[in-house]
Amino acid sequence: MCDALTPKPWRKIIHVDMDAFYASVEQRDNSQYRGKPLVVGGSPNQRGVVAAASYEARKFGIHSAMPSVTAAAKCPGLIFVRPRFDVYREVSAQIHDIFKRYTDVIEGVALDEAYLDVTENKQNVMYASTIARYIKVEILKETNLTATAGVSINKFLAKMASGQNKPNGLTVILPEDAAAFVEGLAIEKFHGIGEVTAAKMHSLGIHTGADLKQRSLSELTQHFGKVGHYYYKIARAEDDRSVEPNRVRKSIGAETSFAVNLSDRAQMLYELEQIAQIVQQRLEQNSTRGRTLTLKIKFSDYQQITRSKTLPNYTCDLDAIITTATELFEAVEMETPSIRLLGIALSNLEKAKQTQVIQLPLFEYVVNEL
């Protein structure tokens, strides 16, 4: 008979994040690109956006989802390379083959990112941190690319750990250190808290995990709605989500919250085109298409609406996405033409392609093990 007071064993979760994956593949495959600021994405002469930026480009403040024309202005001489998603998918498959040497409980988040549950593993390795080291070594040896890994007791903490020591790092957050780690974390560093939400939290006097932990569940749901439940739990280093190896994608989309509300219609349409470009890139990287397009608009008064249209055929064509999103947008009657968020999503994905395809000094080890 089980003792009800016996605590459940800690899970052992690894989050692996490839370092500037698309850009690193391009630099690996073309010696002329190495050591130079480079972005993978659309041309600045068109309506392109940055899909990935090399670390050399990031020094200029360039990041993914930035309009290519903005990136070009920040860095004269910036190299632009069109995405080669077929190559990235092949490399991602190589990396996942390495993961499968240790566990089959793998949840791909994107081509360059995955969670692994190694609580029980094929090699009977005692420590998750040891497995993370082995994986990093094997990725470097077999792909000539580097990865950063985070190790902890749940997905949130593993994700936070992998962001601590980039690139090519390894960070472990032990169970006894979890609460202190979260309490000391700046709120804008939390996974799932974007720039606009962070600004709202700052206005409420929430600047760190410790500040967030002091707020009640009712207060957080009052200010942030359903997601307040998530904020309440992660402030306590809690995350019950399991690693889901067979998660099926129901939609692919992107949205942007604006630090300053948009009131100019031309600017709204420009932002909509940028979001459409990101959605098209994500469809392409996942090698799928969709039929139902949904437009999401959140106004300055926090009223939110969605409008959808089902197309006659599956598509991942950028012009079709822009045209449909624009038609839906133009049909919206705006009593208050001030917008804080725009989003586009494609659902009703091709059934055959709905399974999510798998958006990174040599090592610096943490002495303690998990």
Side-chain angles (χ1 to χ4, degrees):
M1 182 175 178
C2 294
D3 182 357
L5 298 178
T6 301
K8 295 172 65 176
W10 297 111
R11 289 184 294 163
K12 298 179 181 180
I13 309 297
I14 302 172
H15 180 259
V16 179
D17 192 0
M18 299 301 296
D19 296 320
F21 182 53
Y22 302 163
S24 295
V25 170
E26 298 302 333
Q27 290 178 320
R28 180 196 69 176
D29 294 349
N30 190 326
S31 61
Q32 295 180 346
Y33 296 158
R34 293 171 195 165
K36 296 179 181 179
L38 172 147
V39 299
V40 175
S43 167
N45 298 321
Q46 301 171 351
R47 53 193 174 208
V49 296
V50 174
S54 69
Y55 283 99
E56 295 85 357
R58 294 181 188 189
K59 294 177 182 178
F60 292 87
I62 297 168
H63 55 78
S64 62
M66 174 180 285
S68 296
V69 65
T70 304
K74 286 178 172 289
C75 178
L78 182 64
I79 299 170
F80 285 85
V81 179
R82 295 292 301 177
R84 296 186 296 154
F85 288 114
D86 55 339
V87 176
Y88 309 148
R89 283 192 290 269
E90 289 177 5
V91 178
S92 180
Q94 279 184 275
I95 294 164
H96 276 253
D97 285 341
I98 293 171
F99 296 159
K100 290 173 185 175
R101 295 169 193 170
Y102 298 93
T103 181
D104 291 323
V105 188
I106 304 164
E107 180 183 329
V109 180
L111 293 177
D112 60 344
E113 182 181 355
Y115 292 98
L116 289 68
D117 189 327
V118 296
T119 309
E120 297 179 3
N121 64 85
K122 296 178 180 180
Q123 305 287 350
N124 293 319
V125 178
M126 182 176 296
Y127 300 118
S129 53
T130 303
I131 295 175
R133 292 170 189 165
Y134 290 165
I135 286 173
K136 283 167 52 65
V137 169
E138 290 166 31
I139 288 174
L140 180 61
K141 180 179 179 181
E142 297 177 32
T143 71
N144 201 27
L145 298 168
T146 63
T148 295
V151 181
S152 197
I153 55 176
N154 59 47
K155 291 169 73 173
F156 171 73
L157 290 171
K159 172 72 172 179
M160 291 296 90
S162 69
Q164 295 301 300
N165 191 23
K166 283 180 169 286
N168 201 15
L170 172 61
T171 300
V172 179
I173 301 175
L174 296 168
E176 59 267 30
D177 298 330
F181 172 84
V182 173
E183 289 174 8
L185 198 65
I187 208 68
E188 54 269 25
K189 298 294 185 181
F190 276 61
H191 178 55
I193 296 181
E195 180 181 351
V196 173
T197 301
K200 183 176 180 180
M201 286 192 174
H202 288 166
S203 71
L204 296 170
I206 302 172
H207 300 278
T208 66
D211 296 333
L212 184 63
K213 190 175 181 179
Q214 291 177 357
R215 304 306 172 105
S216 67
L217 177 59
S218 61
E219 185 177 2
L220 291 175
T221 53
Q222 175 187 349
H223 288 291
F224 301 103
K226 292 181 180 179
V227 75
H229 290 269
Y230 172 73
Y231 298 153
Y232 182 83
K233 290 182 72 69
I234 61 174
R236 289 155 178 77
E238 298 174 2
D239 183 1
D240 299 327
R241 295 174 300 156
S242 61
V243 176
E244 301 178 30
N246 298 312
R247 185 158 65 100
V248 174
R249 264 212 138 131
K250 295 182 179 179
S251 67
I252 290 177
E255 62 183 37
T256 300
S257 295
F258 307 107
V260 178
N261 294 339
L262 302 184
S263 56
D264 179 74
R265 201 172 188 85
Q267 183 65 26
M268 296 174 191
L269 291 172
Y270 172 79
E271 296 292 348
L272 205 61
E273 288 194 5
Q274 299 301 302
I275 295 167
Q277 176 94 18
I278 297 169
V279 173
Q280 192 274 335
Q281 286 180 349
R282 291 177 177 174
L283 288 166
E284 189 175 350
Q285 80 175 32
N286 283 280
S287 190
T288 193
R289 302 179 296 172
R291 280 191 62 199
T292 301
L293 187 146
T294 299
L295 171 71
K296 177 180 176 182
I297 302 175
K298 184 180 288 185
F299 297 98
S300 57
D301 61 0
Y302 286 88
Q303 177 191 359
Q304 180 176 302
I305 63 169
T306 58
R307 298 289 185 270
S308 298
K309 180 177 181 179
T310 297
L311 305 174
N313 300 302
Y314 291 105
T315 188
C316 64
D317 179 72
L318 177 60
D319 288 332
I321 295 170
I322 291 174
T323 299
T324 306
T326 301
E327 288 175 357
L328 292 171
F329 180 83
E330 296 287 7
V332 174
E333 294 183 5
M334 299 188 189
E335 296 181 3
T336 305
S338 181
I339 289 175
R340 62 180 292 106
L341 179 148
L342 284 170
I344 299 172
L346 265 290
S347 58
N348 193 5
L349 304 178
E350 285 184 288
K351 287 186 172 63
K353 299 179 179 180
Q354 278 188 7
T355 300
Q356 188 174 9
V357 181
I358 303 303
Q359 82 224 63
L360 0 178
L362 185 59
F363 296 129
E364 290 191 25
Y365 294 139
V366 176
V367 175
N368 294 321
E369 302 281 6
L370 179 70

